[in-house]
Amino acid sequence: MTQTQDLTALSVNAIRFLAVDAVEKAKSGHPGMPLGMAPLAYLLFREVMRHNPLDPSWPDRDRFVLSAGHGSMLLYAVLHLTGYDLSLEELKNFRQWGSKTPGHPERGHTPGVEVTTGPLGQGISTAVGLALAERKLAAEFNRPGHTVVDHHTYVLASDGDLMEGVSGEAASLAGHWGLSKLIVFWDDNRISIDGPTDLAFTEDVLGRYRAYGWQTLRVEDANDLDALRHALRLARLDERPTLIAVRSHIGFGSPKQDSHKAHGEPLGAEAVEATRKALGWPYPPFAVPEEVYRHMDQRERGRALQEDWERRLKAYAQEYPDLYQELMRRLQGELPPLPEAPPAFDKPLATRAASGRVLSVLVPRLPELLGGSADLTPSNNTQAEGMEDFSRANPLGRYLHFGVREHAMGAILNGLNLHGGYRAYGGTFLVFSDYLRPALRLAALMSTPTVFVFTHDSIALGEDGPTHQPVEHLMSLRAMPNLWVIRPADAYETFYAWQVALRRKEGPTALVLTRQAVPLLSPEKAKGLLRGGYVLEDAEKPQGVLVATGSEVHLALKARALLQEKGVRVRVVSLPSFELFEAQPEAYRQEVLPPGLPVVAVEAGATLGWERYARKVVGLDRFGASAPYPEVYERLGFTPERVAEALAELL
């Protein structure tokens, strides 16, 4: 064995035992995968990937996504050894309050973590969005002799990742789109939490991925670095995404090797000592030889790679100054000026249709704006005039057809927005927000500015019936931290809702839109949406308040007219966004909803949650029904008379 081979083996074991020691100290974690897949982590971060620990946000870096997020200590160990700002003390504080080493990787929390992972299937699916962004940016900005966008996305996925349905949805799209710079390593250790994977997982995985349009390869031993290198060379030459099945042994070298007991619990002191002996690691916990640090350090290499890219970028700027300025603007996330005034609307309009009109104004002004739908384009109104379809043959297209794959759509949109250079949105029916909720939750957790367009927002779907009529969805979405839910009442509020969504950089926004036409409000008053809630109609010394969202705002206005005829002075408040309203100063909120005034809320959805604003709710705590929507509304009690009566009872 040569000195280099000795140093390689020593470095691989350093990764293994930093992970084992951190899990042991925390008395919590997953040592099995780091023991088995440390050679791959070594190879990628030391030899293969173009990355710079001194600048983890370098735009043309290769991306690594640990989809099997439970193996987080594998990533933390290799980030520490290669020179990222992740100290040994942070590794010792694994899974502890305030550390940079949480139980599962969190983007924005730990330097070098690209995607928040842990919920299986999300990482690999989000990585499809990262690879898609690279493909599109390269097509838009690279020119002959000037390649300024050229990087790969590498994924380490587990059996569980490939079992989850979302990964199949996303992989199908990756193959369809021919995302050749997406390379996924499957940790084929044949063990799940319950025991052997063949308890529930005996399919031909590689055959399935070949059917998706992927190249598939197999490496028979995770410790065979030459075989891994050869597979990587083949992967980088192919015009398809690649899945590499790597036969590994969970808990490699430990007494618990190839057992589910190595997956999600510390090995225990005796087993750790036995593993040290088996793998020839004589060092105490958290000790790493200096020669390993020198061998693994990627700071100088990373600096040189980035400086080379910056030299090429400078030459590109001289040759194509306009393209350079546009690329920099987009990578920095700076929006061009948005239209301040809404387009002219001249008749009642469904807010989904108004959203389509607004997009037709925005898309020409925002070249970074990409959109799509989960096979509901005509219903969601998500394809603006002039948006060409994206395809393998037309990477410049800005419209994405996701097929009936809501969950993958959500994850891929997140990847596009995480990558930089794009602002991506996607549409489906509100009732199907449940199908993509895990991706929506991770967007909120990662503060990713994805825009989710949810149309067909209530029982006003009518004839499609209760399977498609959302009832509990608005409140369940409002319960999610860092998600802004906006349900505009008309076309003008819809225009301002898009303004809010696009200007928001620190989290996702859900635009909740009607199927049915709704009357127009005053465009000047509708601007109040920018504050989440506002007084739409008022009376001198109001006796009570009707507060509503979306289409029910118009119901509240009719109820107010009935009460006014009887001499009751009523204020109507449009409250399209709880979250935006709560972000306003308390004085403003009390001005809109004065303490002490009786308040009735009106919304065609679950009443739970309205108690923060109202003493009584005209809502819906049952499922809807199939019939023309005016009849559904009437039979379920959404009438001006019932709303007026509810406030009269409080008075």
Side-chain angles (χ1 to χ4, degrees):
M1 183 179 288
T2 68
Q3 184 178 0
T4 301
Q5 288 172 321
D6 280 339
L7 203 46
T8 296
L10 201 62
S11 299
V12 169
N13 276 340
I15 296 170
R16 286 176 170 140
F17 284 98
L18 282 175
V20 166
D21 293 339
V23 170
E24 202 66 27
K25 184 174 185 296
K27 297 182 173 55
S28 170
H30 299 73
M33 195 192 77
L35 281 167
M37 293 301 282
L40 176 67
Y42 166 85
L43 182 66
L44 287 177
F45 279 82
R46 168 120 197 334
E47 295 183 14
V48 174
M49 284 172 44
R50 299 170 67 254
H51 65 113
N52 183 6
L54 297 171
D55 184 3
S57 61
W58 168 33
D60 203 39
R61 68 193 181 279
D62 288 336
R63 272 71 169 172
F64 174 78
V65 177
L66 182 65
S67 195
H70 54 271
S72 57
M73 265 312 307
L74 174 72
L75 179 55
Y76 300 151
V78 76
L79 289 173
H80 166 72
L81 291 172
T82 52
Y84 284 80
D85 182 19
L86 195 64
S87 68
L88 192 62
E89 284 304 307
E90 293 290 355
L91 270 58
K92 292 178 180 178
N93 285 326
F94 177 53
R95 289 184 164 225
Q96 305 308 302
W97 183 271
S99 78
K100 290 183 180 179
T101 50
H104 293 81
E106 297 178 28
R107 179 187 171 93
H109 188 75
T110 309
V113 171
E114 299 283 358
V115 177
T116 299
T117 57
L120 293 177
Q122 289 296 318
I124 181 175
S125 304
T126 306
V128 173
L130 295 174
L132 176 59
E134 192 277 343
R135 165 65 59 85
K136 285 194 57 57
L137 276 178
E140 261 191 273
F141 289 99
N142 288 347
R143 292 295 181 269
H146 294 276
T147 302
V148 292
V149 179
D150 182 15
H151 50 267
H152 285 75
T153 300
Y154 298 98
V155 180
L156 176 51
S158 64
D159 297 297
D161 284 297
L162 303 191
M163 291 183 205
E164 286 284 1
V166 64
S167 65
E169 293 180 12
S172 177
L173 282 165
H176 174 68
W177 290 330
L179 300 180
S180 59
K181 290 186 177 177
L182 175 63
I183 300 173
V184 176
F185 295 89
W186 166 28
D187 178 16
D188 183 16
N189 61 37
R190 303 179 190 177
I191 294 293
S192 65
I193 290 177
D194 280 2
T197 53
D198 62 13
L199 289 170
F201 193 53
T202 55
E203 68 193 44
D204 178 2
V205 174
L206 296 188
R208 174 160 63 94
Y209 272 73
R210 283 193 294 273
Y212 289 149
W214 289 51
Q215 174 184 216
T216 60
L217 304 169
R218 181 172 286 283
V219 172
E220 293 298 339
D221 180 3
N223 295 299
D224 188 342
L225 289 174
D226 285 335
L228 286 170
R229 291 184 184 105
H230 179 65
L232 271 165
R233 283 194 292 271
L234 294 177
R236 292 164 68 102
L237 289 171
D238 206 278
E239 295 184 354
R240 298 166 291 177
T242 298
L243 177 69
I244 304 172
V246 181
R247 179 71 176 104
S248 71
H249 296 276
I250 193 169
F252 178 76
S254 78
K256 298 180 181 181
Q257 178 176 316
D258 296 326
S259 165
H260 67 278
K261 293 182 179 179
H263 171 76
E265 60 188 50
L267 295 177
E270 289 185 14
V272 169
E273 286 309 306
T275 308
R276 276 181 154 77
K277 289 179 182 176
L279 295 178
W281 186 257
Y283 305 98
F286 296 104
V288 176
E290 279 303 316
E291 59 265 37
V292 168
Y293 278 116
R294 289 194 295 270
H295 180 68
M296 291 292 291
D297 191 344
Q298 294 295 293
R299 286 173 292 187
E300 285 307 311
R301 174 176 172 266
R303 190 203 308 271
L305 287 168
Q306 185 167 347
E307 286 176 352
D308 175 66
W309 176 76
E310 288 170 351
R311 282 191 294 270
R312 291 185 283 111
L313 189 66
K314 186 176 180 180
Y316 176 78
Q318 293 173 343
E319 187 79 15
Y320 301 101
D322 292 343
L323 279 175
Y324 167 78
Q325 292 294 337
E326 175 66 8
L327 177 60
M328 291 300 101
R329 178 189 70 77
R330 285 168 54 173
L331 289 176
Q332 290 161 11
E334 297 175 0
L335 289 178
L338 297 178
E340 294 185 7
F345 299 108
D346 57 3
K347 62 180 180 180
L349 200 64
T351 54
R352 60 167 177 155
S355 173
R357 291 267 299 274
V358 173
L359 280 171
S360 293
V361 173
L362 294 172
V363 165
R365 293 174 181 242
L366 277 72
E368 61 264 57
L369 194 58
L370 300 178
S373 171
D375 198 48
L376 289 169
T377 297
S379 296
N380 296 149
N381 296 92
T382 38
Q383 187 167 16
E385 188 176 345
M387 287 183 89
E388 293 184 2
D389 294 340
F390 170 85
S391 68
R392 186 188 306 214
N394 183 27
L396 293 174
R398 293 168 63 185
Y399 194 75
L400 302 164
H401 291 278
F402 291 99
V404 188
R405 301 184 185 94
E406 297 89 352
H407 199 175
M409 177 180 73
I412 291 169
L413 292 173
N414 287 344
L416 284 165
N417 286 312
L418 288 170
H419 181 280
Y422 292 105
R423 289 297 302 273
Y425 66 89
T428 187
F429 290 174
L430 178 59
V431 77
F432 299 138
S433 62
D434 287 343
Y435 280 38
L436 58 76
R437 192 178 180 94
L440 181 57
R441 186 175 189 271
L442 282 183
L445 186 56
M446 292 187 285
S447 296
T448 305
T450 305
V451 181
F452 296 91
V453 180
F454 295 133
T455 69
H456 296 59
D457 69 346
S458 72
I459 54 172
L461 263 73
E463 291 88 343
D464 276 346
T467 60
H468 283 53
Q469 293 169 358
V471 173
E472 73 280 18
H473 298 75
L474 276 166
M475 281 303 176
S476 74
L477 291 175
R478 288 171 181 146
M480 188 178 292
N482 201 34
L483 170 65
W484 284 9
V485 181
I486 308 178
R487 188 178 185 229
D490 83 327
Y492 293 113
E493 281 197 0
T494 303
F495 169 79
Y496 290 111
W498 269 105
Q499 295 257 345
V500 170
L502 290 175
R503 289 195 169 112
R504 188 168 192 232
K505 294 183 178 181
E506 66 282 356
T509 303
L511 302 182
V512 180
L513 308 172
T514 68
R515 175 181 185 262
Q516 79 279 20
V518 289
L520 296 175
L521 303 174
S522 155
E524 279 305 311
K525 289 183 178 179
K527 196 172 183 179
L529 179 138
L530 298 175
R531 303 194 75 171
Y534 63 98
V535 177
L536 177 59
E537 293 292 345
D538 209 358
E540 186 177 351
K541 295 183 179 178
Q543 297 168 273
V545 180
L546 296 173
V547 57
T549 75
S551 48
E552 285 74 68
V553 167
H554 305 282
L555 185 59
L557 289 171
K558 290 179 181 178
R560 174 182 183 270
L562 292 178
L563 289 164
Q564 296 275 96
E565 288 175 4
K566 297 178 180 179
V568 181
R569 301 183 302 277
V570 179
R571 169 180 291 183
V572 172
V573 169
S574 177
L575 194 71
S577 175
F578 285 20
E579 300 79 20
L580 194 48
F581 186 65
E582 292 295 331
Q584 305 307 310
E586 184 179 0
Y588 175 78
R589 287 182 278 126
Q590 291 194 359
E591 181 184 329
V592 174
L593 294 172
L597 272 184
V599 178
V600 170
V602 191
E603 187 172 71
T607 60
L608 179 68
W610 271 112
E611 60 273 5
R612 75 177 77 176
Y613 299 123
R615 284 169 53 189
K616 183 172 282 195
V617 187
V618 177
L620 193 66
D621 290 317
R622 52 154 285 179
F623 293 117
S626 175
Y629 90 84
E631 184 176 1
V632 175
Y633 260 63
E634 183 175 355
R635 288 183 176 273
L636 293 179
F638 289 92
T639 64
E641 291 77 13
R642 184 189 172 204
V643 174
E645 181 183 340
L647 185 55
E649 288 173 357
L650 287 184
L651 296 175

